[in-house]
Amino acid sequence: MREDVTPKNFLDILMGKSLTVGSGKTLRSSHKDTVFVNFVDHGGPGVLGFPASELHVTDLTKVLKSMLKEKRYKQMLWYVEACYSGSMFNKLSPNMNITAHTASNTDESSYAC
């Protein structure tokens, strides 16, 4: 199962794509839904950690913009416990209706408190 926990699968779930791994469940949201994401792992400037790889801010931003364009949420709330987690959201447009509560800002460790 560990090999199934990848940035690609995570982003595919957010985009509502069908998966052949894990439970196969994916996000089936619309313009009427509030989407909540809780992410806990390691991080660095512009990256979130996964067991064997990293999710880069450019890839996450691309998916979030696509979700907005495709009206896959009304509003989105992220809770992220990872070092430097603020760096994943600090350049998003306020018009995207995404709120992100992060354990640290763009240039500090979260100290796992």
Side-chain angles (χ1 to χ4, degrees):
M1 181 185 287
R2 178 183 169 111
E3 61 275 359
D4 297 336
V5 182
T6 66
K8 181 186 181 317
N9 287 340
F10 179 72
L11 295 176
D12 283 351
I13 288 168
L14 288 175
M15 288 300 299
K17 295 182 180 178
S18 297
L19 298 178
T20 58
V21 297
S23 69
K25 292 181 180 180
T26 192
L27 184 62
R28 301 283 183 208
S29 58
S30 75
H31 67 283
K32 298 178 182 179
D33 294 307
T34 298
V35 174
F36 172 72
V37 179
N38 184 48
F39 187 94
V40 181
D41 206 315
H42 296 286
V47 297
L48 292 176
F50 280 74
S53 58
E54 298 172 332
L55 172 60
H56 295 265
V57 65
T58 53
D59 297 324
L60 177 61
T61 301
K62 181 179 173 183
V63 165
L64 294 176
K65 286 180 178 180
S66 180
M67 290 179 74
L68 177 67
K69 182 178 179 184
E70 295 176 17
K71 298 183 168 103
R72 298 193 42 77
Y73 66 92
K74 178 180 179 181
Q75 59 186 4
M76 188 180 301
L77 174 61
W78 285 72
Y79 282 3
V80 184
E81 167 53 56
C83 293
Y84 305 93
S85 48
S87 67
M88 299 301 287
F89 305 97
N90 66 322
K91 294 187 178 165
L92 292 181
S93 166
N95 298 329
M96 292 181 74
N97 210 21
I98 295 174
T99 301
H101 294 273
T102 60
S104 61
N105 63 28
T106 61
D107 59 357
E108 69 180 354
S109 173
S110 69
Y111 302 103
C113 295

